[in-house]
Structures are given as C-alpha cells and as structure tokens.
Amino acid sequence: MDKSFLFQAIVYLASAVIGVNIAKRLGLGTILGYLLAGVAIGPFVLGFVGEEGKDIMHVSEFGVVMMLFVIGLELEPNLLWRMRKLVIGLGGMQVLGTTIAISLAAYFLGQSWQAALAIGATLSLSSTAIVMQTLNEKSLLKTSSGNSAFAVLLCQDIAVIPLLAVFPILATEVVDNQSASLIGNFSGWQQTLIVLGAIAIIIVAGKYVVGPVFRWVAKTRQRELFMATALLLVFLIAELMIVVGLSPALGTFLAGVVLANSEFRHELESDIDPFKGLLLGLFFISVGSTIDFGLVKDNFLLVIALVLGLMFLKGIILYVLGKSFGLKGDQNMLFAVSLAQMGEFAFVLFSFAGQYALISAGDIDLLIAVVALSMALTPLFFVVNERLILPKYFTKEKSNRRADEIHDKNPVIIAGFGRYGNIVGRFLRANGVSATVLDNDSDRVELLRRFGYKVYYGDASRFDLMKAAGAETAKIIIIAMDTPQQCLEMVAMVKKNFPHLKILSRAYDRNDSFDLMESGVDFIYRETLDSSLRLGADALQMIGFRAYQTHRAARTFLKHDERVLADLIKHRHDSKSYISVAKEKITELEELILRDIKDEGILERDSGWDSDKLRTAPKS
Amino acid sequence: MASVLIIFAHPVYEKSRVNQYLVKAVKGLKQVTFHDLYELYPDFDIDIKKEQKLLAKHDIIVLQHPFYWYSMPPLLKQWLDLVLEYGWAYGKEGTQLRNKKLFNAITTGGTFEAYQKEGHNRYTIPELLYPLDQTAFLCKMTYYPPFIIHGTHRLTDVEMQQFAQDYQQIITGLRDDLFLEDDLVSAAYMNNLIDKPYSL
C-alpha cells in the first residue's frame, strides 16, 4: 500500500471529516468521532495506518501542547488566585486520594511499591484534552461542575512536574537512556535543577522578552507573521521542555499563564486556535488508531475489568470529593463522570517510566491500552450520563445555576480605539461603563495600557477574536476602525455571526454612510458631522447671530441632513437623479433654516397671544 | 445706590422688536447688569455656581421675558429650578436672597383687557404670577408688581420707544431709590409708579 505523506494526510483528514460528521449527527460529540475515525483507519479495522500511527501521535501531541497554551492564556493570575482553594484543595485531594487508592490496588496485585506508586500517580490524572474539549462543546465550562473540573485538571497538570522529577529517583535500575534527553547523563538532583532552570527561563522570557518581540512583529501588520511568531513561541518552548525531559504541554501551559496578562492574549489565542483544534483532532485519531486491539483481545476480560474498575474507582473518589466541596446533585455527577478517565499524560509518564524500567514493558503496553480505551469511553459515558442517569435521578436539580461568573465580559465592545473610538471610550468610562477595546495598532495598545485602559491587541474583524472578547454576551458594538473598508468588513462579520449585537458604526463620509446603510447598519455616525456643525454654529455666533438661534439651526441642519441621507441612498448609483435630488434637498434645507431666521412661522404663532385676534377669530 | 440684575430670557430675541428696544434702553446703565440666559446657555447647561454668585452681588432682580403660556420661557424656569437651591435660596440655611427685591418685566401679545376677570384670559397677570410671588416669599425676598407691555404685535416703533424709556425710568428709579416702598408693594403694575397707568 502506498503510504506517502500525501496519502496519509488524505486518510487522516478524510476520516476526520467523515467520522466527526457522522458522530455529530448522532449526537455523540466530536471527540468520539475522531476516536472512532482513528479506530476505523487503524490496523485492526481498515488498516490504512499501522505502526506509523505512533509517529503521527508525536506530531499531534502538539494539539495537546497548544491546548494547554491556550488554557494558560485564559488563566490570569488573579483568576488563578481566586481558584486557589479549588485547585489546591479539590485538585490536590483528588490526585492524592486516587494515587493512594490505585497504588494500593496495584501493590496488592503484585507490583513493587515503586511501580505501584508510579502507576497510581499516573492513572490518577485525567485527560485535559477530552474534558476541556467536551465541556467547551457543551458550554459547561462556566458551570460549577465545569469550574471544579477545570481546577482539578489544573492541579493534575501541575502535578506532572514533580512526577517527572520523582520517577528517576524511584527507579531501581539505572538505564542507559541518553537518547531520551540531553540531560539524561546528569544525576537525578542535577536534572531537577536543570528542570527548574528551564521553568525559570520560560517565566522570565515570557515576562520580559516575548512582549517586545510581539510588539516588534506586530508593527509589520502582517497577520501571518504574527501567527508564525505565535507558533514559533509554542514550538520553542516545547523543544526546550523536551530537551530537559519535561512535558512540553506543561511548559506551554506555563508560558500561557505568563502571557495571560499581556495585551496579545486574545490575538495569540485566536491565532493558535485553528491549529490547536486540528491537531487535537489528529491527536484523538491517533489515540484511536493506536489502541492495540490485539492486546485487548488477548486479555479481554482483564482489560475490561481494569478500564471499568479504574474509572469506577476514580468516579467514586471524585463524587465524594465533589460532595464535600459543595457540588450538588447533577453537577456533582457530571463532575465525577467527566474526570473518571485516564489522561494523555499517561502516555508520556508511562514511556518515561519505561525508560527507567520502573514498570515492565508488558504492563506498560497493557496500561496504555487501558488508558486509551478509557479515553475513548469518556464521550460515551457523557452521553449515558446525559441521557440516562441525569434525567432519571437528577431531573429536579437540572438547569439551576448556569453561566455563573463571566470574567472580563463587558456589555460594550469598541473595535478600533483611534482618534474616534477613544473619545467614545473615554466618555463611556467617565460614565462608569467599561468597554472591551480591540485595536490593531500595537504602539497605541501599549500606550493606552500605560494609561490604565483595558485594551487588547488584535484585528477585531476576526470572528475568533470577537468571540474571545465576549461578543456573544455583549450588547452593543461600536465600530470605529481606521478605514471605511475595515468598518464594512467588521459590520459584515458582526451581522453574520453576532446578530444580537446592536451596531453603532462611525462613518467616514456620506458615501461611506451609504455603504454602511446598505449593509444594514441602523446607527451611523458621520465622524465630521457634529463637530463641523459646532464649528459652523460658533462661526455664526461670532458673526453676531444669537447663541440659541445657531444652536437651533445646527440641530435643524443635523436632523434634515440625516433624513436626506435616507432619501438620497435610493439615488446613489444614478448620478443624474442623485444630483438633482441632492440639489432639491439643499434648497429645501436652506429654505427651512432661512424661514426660521426670517421667521414668519414663529411670528405667526407668537401673535396667537394677541387675545383680541383670538377673540375675533371665527369660532369653529 | 442699589444694584440691579436683569435676568433676560427670550428664545427668539432676534425677532422680538419690543425686547430689542427694551434691552437697548437698559443695557450699559450704571449699576445695572444685563444677563442674557439664552445667549449664555443655548444648550440649557446652566452654571449654577456662577449664577448664584451673580445673584448674591445684586439687590434687585428683574426677570425680563415674554409671557409664554401664562408663564416664562423654559430656560428661565430651568434657571429658577436649578439656581434657587435648597440651603442656598431657601430652607434653614438658605438666606442668600434674603431682603432682595424681585419682579418680572413682561412682554405679551395679549391686551390689557384680555388679562382681566372678564377678559379672555380670566386672570390678571399679577394673579398668574402668584407662583413667582410665592417663590420670592419662600426666599424671604420682597416681590414687586410686574412691569408689563401688552399687545406687542400692534405697537408702532414710536410706542415701543416710549415703553423702552418707561422701562429705563423704572430701572434707574429702583436703582436710585426714588420710589416709596409702600407704593412699590401695593401697585398693580410697576408701570403705575411712573404715573403711567396702563393705557397704550
């Protein structure tokens, strides 16, 4: 069979397209679709991909890496601080409790205490990729169960660091593993120091180097260059982590947290996102395709018992912990089900343990199959929980508490904070209304941030960035980007994706207003109109007109002009009738205002106060 | 010599012939401050502190305005609402206007006869001005009868010029303390004080 790169790409992508589509239609969620697609093309069903699946896995692990980077980006330090109780308390107890329980079980099943500890610790971890993806798809992330699950996953991800440091110490045999990492030749304690050094590098560089570099790149205003830089950053960190023998996912997660406070947060997030999604899909496919069904078939009962036993055990521990942390009914059930599987870090940790011969190779193969199966079963468990368990036992507690805390979501989004948008923004802020501001001039963003504004760098006309800025929950968007073209693109994007948003758009001139009106915007503000009229009114006053009169005249002009605009748009593409109609309207306006000045109207009305006239007026 | 503050409010002053005569006659008089509200606050955004300072500096306050719907133009009402604050103009510590004099200088298209009990408007102008009278009372000011020009649409230039002189005479007379307090309080129209029973 021809297994060229292109052929493989076709197989993977086609299976993803078909598998996910079918799974979606069956209501099974995308992850199960990917996993089943992987199983289908794997050696045990169609056999399109065989052992190479493992190579793909290495590439696709970047999906996990990027996901953790994005998760890190979401985690502003103060959010992390607010979640400390859940992360350390709930997460810590889960890792500790599950590790002890599984380790004991493994020990009594005949493993050495070191191996038992390694197995227990590894299997206590859950799959960040599956859980986050599923919760996100079902928009459960902001619920109390989603929140708790996130905290536990966070703790688990952090726990990987000490585990990676402890495994070499646990190892009873010294193994020649210099191929595994460049620092393999150092002693355990030296390795630990190097690992800590690498983490320090990420934190320091994230704080002091990355920002200036991004600003420098952003000045080119080339979106793809920015994207390339973002990918470069992730790859660099991943490589650094691999070199020191740490999990790349953890390194990028850390980098994400460090960058969470930077103005590039939204842009980075949306640049990485498509890659993340696709690579994650690839990762799930490769998990599916590498499940060793031969091994599973040979030890069928053992594997089934292990998978179900472990998931049940983890589920119970989670349920008890959830209860003691105040999770109620359906939320607690969801929490327990979502985290009951084993996670992708198991692949990393088991192969790491294998390098140190901590666990026997046969056991590792078996355990990896168990982990993969438990991951594959998770989406199914979600479905079972959702359709069978929750409705039956928890119906009464359903649908209370949802969308709890939304961080940094403002009712107003301002796209473009240049000479126009910033006045609007300042005015709103002066009235106690904070707006989420998006701007794609990195110099300006930096300057505004120094003034204490919450400004994000990024091209607002991108769907993903708008989403990240909270467009789904916002009420209005103020479009004040630099060029009419940008404003129009933005309008089209908002109309299509966020139809609930009221659009207030700045227009450059009359023609631009027509364009915006045709694209369906109702609230249009010609940027020069009001201030020009103010200037005009001041000029009239200096010539000797009365202040209130000029004020009125300006109002009359403004109202008339806006009305005329709506009439004129019908003629905009017919220059002949446009000019004649425009002329007509100009005359009309002049007459209108001059009449006010000469004032037959007001004089007439005023003389109504001559009561003699009133009395002699014919009675009706 | 007392000081006089003329608070003037006319939204279309540029078209009011009679008010132009009146303003010309009193603007620039010694010890008389002419204060044009519609010119200062076309957007109705009144500077309260500034207005209060101005009030505090004068002894006699004149509200000069056309008679709109038996009352004053909106900006002048807004001015009263905002400037005469509790604690400043009235209330326990509101003593800033105490003992000052207040009266209206009114132009109206309606005739003298129309503003009588048997007339079209059923009430006299002093009666219709009771809210102002009470306002003055509340602020412990003395309320004087109004200076009034009736039938403004039918006045000739000569007649308007005559009224302008009357107005000037009233203002300077008050400033120079030429009138008896008893006459001031008891007259129906301020016009009576200069031997001009309403006739035009």
Side-chain angles (χ1 to χ4, degrees):
Chain A
M1 194 178 289
D2 181 14
K3 292 204 172 154
S4 68
F5 170 73
L6 267 184
F7 175 76
Q8 284 212 10
I10 291 167
V11 166
Y12 274 97
L13 292 175
S15 68
V17 171
I18 297 168
V20 172
N21 211 324
I22 292 174
K24 258 293 190 209
R25 269 154 216 251
L26 294 175
L28 296 178
T30 51
I31 293 171
L32 204 56
Y34 281 124
L35 287 168
L36 292 178
V39 172
I41 61 170
F44 300 96
V45 183
L46 295 177
F48 283 137
V49 293
E51 283 298 296
E52 325 70 63
K54 289 210 162 118
D55 293 333
I56 294 289
M57 192 118 158
H58 286 308
V59 178
S60 55
E61 266 169 14
F62 270 106
V64 182
V65 168
M66 288 177 180
M67 184 183 66
L68 276 161
F69 182 61
V70 172
I71 292 172
L73 279 177
E74 300 255 357
L75 275 183
E76 285 171 80
N78 57 359
L79 175 68
L80 209 58
W81 181 245
R82 233 179 303 155
M83 289 182 69
R84 67 191 182 280
K85 213 180 116 196
L86 277 183
V87 174
I88 296 168
L90 188 57
M93 303 243 302
Q94 187 272 334
V95 173
L96 218 65
T98 315
T99 302
I100 291 170
I102 298 178
S103 298
L104 281 176
Y107 184 71
F108 286 116
L109 285 174
Q111 298 282 345
S112 68
W113 71 267
Q114 292 98 334
L117 192 60
I119 291 172
T122 305
L123 295 184
S124 75
L125 309 177
S126 314
S127 169
T128 310
I130 288 182
V131 179
M132 291 302 288
Q133 190 80 0
T134 310
L135 292 180
N136 196 19
E137 263 174 39
K138 296 180 188 293
S139 28
L140 292 169
L141 272 178
K142 302 284 183 204
T143 61
S144 52
S145 60
N147 219 4
S148 308
F150 181 62
V152 171
L153 286 169
L154 206 59
C155 179
Q156 291 178 351
D157 292 341
I158 294 166
V160 173
I161 307 181
L163 287 183
L164 285 167
V166 163
F167 277 20
I169 302 169
L170 281 181
T172 44
E173 292 174 48
V174 178
V175 184
D176 176 31
N177 60 351
Q178 71 187 97
S179 60
S181 73
L182 288 180
I183 62 164
N185 292 333
F186 295 97
S187 74
W189 292 113
Q190 282 170 318
Q191 288 187 25
T192 308
L193 277 181
I194 292 172
V195 166
L196 291 178
I199 291 170
I201 288 175
I202 291 178
I203 294 174
V204 172
K207 220 160 179 127
Y208 300 106
V209 182
V210 175
V213 169
F214 272 116
R215 236 162 268 140
W216 179 67
V217 171
K219 263 185 205 152
T220 64
R221 294 181 166 256
Q222 296 292 311
R223 190 189 292 171
E224 56 277 10
L225 201 62
F226 195 91
M227 216 182 266
T229 317
L231 282 178
L232 178 66
L233 174 74
V234 173
F235 290 165
L236 268 177
I237 296 164
E239 182 59 27
L240 174 69
M241 290 289 104
I242 290 168
V243 165
V244 301
L246 262 190
S247 143
L250 206 78
T252 49
F253 170 74
L254 206 62
V257 174
V258 175
L259 290 174
N261 255 356
S262 90
E263 69 264 38
F264 299 105
R265 177 178 140 203
H266 284 314
E267 181 81 355
L268 277 172
E269 212 176 311
S270 44
D271 272 339
I272 297 283
D273 217 50
F275 295 99
K276 178 199 93 181
L278 202 59
L279 285 171
L280 262 186
L282 212 53
F283 172 74
F284 292 130
I285 292 180
S286 50
V287 168
S289 72
T290 46
I291 295 177
D292 191 343
F293 283 96
L295 188 78
V296 173
K297 207 171 77 186
D298 293 342
N299 307 282
F300 187 71
L301 284 177
L302 177 63
V303 170
I304 293 298
L306 278 176
V307 170
L308 294 181
L310 282 168
M311 290 181 81
F312 200 59
L313 179 65
K314 288 187 77 170
I316 288 174
I317 293 173
L318 284 162
Y319 193 87
V320 171
L321 283 175
K323 194 141 208 167
S324 66
F325 271 78
L327 281 176
K328 294 202 185 72
D330 60 335
Q331 291 289 324
N332 198 13
M333 195 66 208
L334 192 67
F335 171 69
V337 169
S338 66
L339 292 173
Q341 82 294 108
M342 275 64 78
E344 57 276 346
F345 277 123
F347 302 132
V348 182
L349 285 171
F350 279 141
S351 70
F352 197 64
Q355 283 163 28
Y356 289 93
L358 202 52
I359 309 169
S360 75
D363 288 348
I364 287 177
D365 282 346
L366 190 70
L367 285 170
I368 284 185
V370 167
V371 169
L373 273 177
S374 84
M375 286 167 77
L377 281 175
T378 299
L380 266 181
F381 277 24
F382 264 112
V383 174
V384 169
N385 181 45
E386 213 168 75
R387 304 219 175 137
L388 299 176
I389 299 176
L390 289 187
K392 212 165 173 186
Y393 300 102
F394 298 103
T395 35
K396 54 182 190 295
E397 289 186 65
K398 252 207 142 170
S399 83
N400 52 4
R401 266 187 81 98
R402 178 154 279 206
D404 240 347
E405 36 188 329
I406 299 167
H407 311 288
D408 190 13
K409 302 270 151 112
N410 290 315
V412 182
I413 297 174
I414 301 179
F417 211 62
R419 63 191 178 93
Y420 193 91
N422 86 72
I423 300 175
V424 182
R426 273 166 41 212
F427 176 71
L428 293 179
R429 189 160 100 153
N431 286 280
V433 174
S434 48
T436 300
V437 176
L438 302 166
D439 196 283
N440 64 353
D441 180 335
S442 60
D443 284 342
R444 188 154 66 210
V445 167
E446 207 204 340
L447 182 73
L448 287 168
R449 284 171 66 87
R450 268 194 257 146
F451 279 104
Y453 280 91
K454 200 147 199 182
V455 190
Y456 295 108
Y457 170 79
D459 180 353
S461 64
R462 292 175 51 185
F463 168 72
D464 39 12
L465 191 61
M466 276 290 287
K467 212 176 143 173
E472 279 162 327
T473 50
K475 289 200 181 74
I476 67 172
I477 177 158
I478 294 160
I479 300 179
M481 295 161 97
D482 283 337
T483 67
Q485 196 49 42
Q486 282 174 313
C487 289
L488 273 176
E489 278 170 24
M490 186 78 205
V491 167
M493 198 278 289
V494 173
K495 282 241 138 198
K496 185 167 157 244
N497 297 303
F498 307 103
H500 71 282
L501 283 178
K502 275 209 170 66
I503 304 175
L504 283 70
S505 180
R506 160 299 267 277
Y508 184 72
D509 56 13
R510 204 170 245 220
N511 248 324
D512 189 26
S513 311
F514 289 148
D515 289 338
L516 287 165
M517 284 158 88
E518 278 173 355
S519 68
V521 181
D522 293 320
F523 308 98
I524 296 167
Y525 306 85
R526 272 171 287 163
E527 58 173 57
T528 49
L529 189 59
D530 289 80
S531 65
S532 305
L533 286 176
R534 261 184 55 208
L535 190 153
D538 285 350
L540 284 178
Q541 242 175 287
M542 286 172 202
I543 290 169
F545 282 69
R546 297 266 304 159
Y548 188 62
Q549 180 190 3
T550 58
H551 185 77
R552 255 184 3 253
R555 298 299 307 169
T556 308
F557 189 96
L558 184 73
K559 268 187 255 166
H560 181 271
D561 205 61
E562 302 213 309
R563 208 158 358 110
V564 166
L565 212 61
D567 289 339
L568 274 179
I569 191 169
K570 296 171 210 143
H571 305 280
R572 75 175 293 206
H573 297 300
D574 177 358
S575 63
K576 237 189 199 163
S577 74
Y578 180 88
I579 288 172
S580 78
V581 173
K583 260 173 140 177
E584 208 175 280
K585 299 290 179 187
I586 291 168
T587 323
E588 187 185 299
L589 176 63
E590 281 167 1
E591 278 169 6
L592 194 72
I593 292 184
L594 280 176
R595 198 160 59 229
D596 184 46
I597 291 174
K598 289 195 212 113
D599 200 25
E600 293 110 20
I602 288 178
L603 213 66
E604 243 162 57
R605 260 182 284 133
D606 216 25
S607 51
W609 285 93
D610 178 347
S611 333
D612 283 349
K613 241 189 193 173
L614 277 179
R615 258 189 308 189
T616 53
K619 289 229 163 73
S620 56
Chain B
M1 212 195 243
S3 58
V4 182
L5 172 64
I6 301 176
I7 304 283
F8 175 66
H10 200 312
V12 280
Y13 169 64
E14 62 274 11
K15 273 159 263 163
S16 171
R17 296 176 305 149
V18 65
N19 273 290
Q20 282 167 20
Y21 276 106
L22 295 181
V23 170
K24 214 193 282 168
V26 295
K27 219 173 171 178
L29 290 175
K30 214 176 148 202
Q31 284 286 93
V32 175
T33 305
F34 183 78
H35 194 60
D36 186 344
L37 290 186
Y38 274 94
E39 187 63 14
L40 281 163
Y41 308 116
D43 49 5
F44 280 51
D45 188 11
I46 292 166
D47 183 341
I48 296 167
K49 287 279 159 285
K50 190 175 142 194
E51 295 298 309
Q52 288 176 343
K53 254 187 224 157
L54 198 65
L55 282 172
K57 275 201 298 204
H58 293 83
D59 309 309
I60 300 161
I61 317 295
V62 186
L63 304 178
Q64 182 186 339
H65 60 91
F67 208 45
Y68 281 174
W69 275 113
Y70 313 109
S71 179
M72 59 191 87
L75 182 54
L76 184 56
K77 179 63 167 63
Q78 168 103 333
W79 180 90
L80 279 175
D81 293 348
L82 297 181
V83 179
L84 305 193
E85 282 178 319
Y86 174 83
W88 185 84
Y90 68 101
K92 210 172 160 201
E93 269 140 43
T95 55
Q96 299 295 316
L97 296 175
R98 178 173 285 178
N99 294 332
K100 293 183 190 295
K101 329 287 181 201
L102 179 75
F103 74 99
N104 299 68
I106 286 170
T107 56
T108 168
T111 58
F112 178 75
E113 293 74 27
Y115 284 99
Q116 297 302 323
K117 196 173 180 210
E118 10 359 289
H120 183 73
N121 294 314
R122 297 170 59 230
Y123 298 97
T124 66
I125 288 182
E127 281 168 344
L128 292 167
L129 287 174
Y130 280 163
L132 261 296
D133 192 337
Q134 169 58 22
T135 299
F137 177 79
L138 184 70
C139 300
K140 301 190 167 65
M141 302 166 88
T142 309
Y143 187 68
Y144 288 161
F147 172 79
I148 301 175
I149 304 173
H150 282 291
T152 49
H153 306 298
R154 300 172 176 202
L155 295 178
T156 63
D157 285 341
V158 177
E159 287 168 327
M160 283 192 273
Q161 184 60 47
Q162 185 57 51
F163 272 116
Q165 276 170 22
D166 295 348
Y167 190 40
Q168 190 185 55
Q169 204 180 335
I170 296 279
I171 296 293
T172 50
L174 285 166
R175 177 194 68 186
D176 302 335
D177 206 10
L178 299 180
F179 308 123
L180 292 171
E181 191 69 14
D182 279 354
D183 293 348
L184 273 170
V185 177
S186 59
Y189 277 22
M190 188 71 89
N191 312 46
N192 303 145
L193 287 168
I194 46 170
D195 293 327
K196 299 256 176 169
Y198 206 81
S199 60
L200 279 168

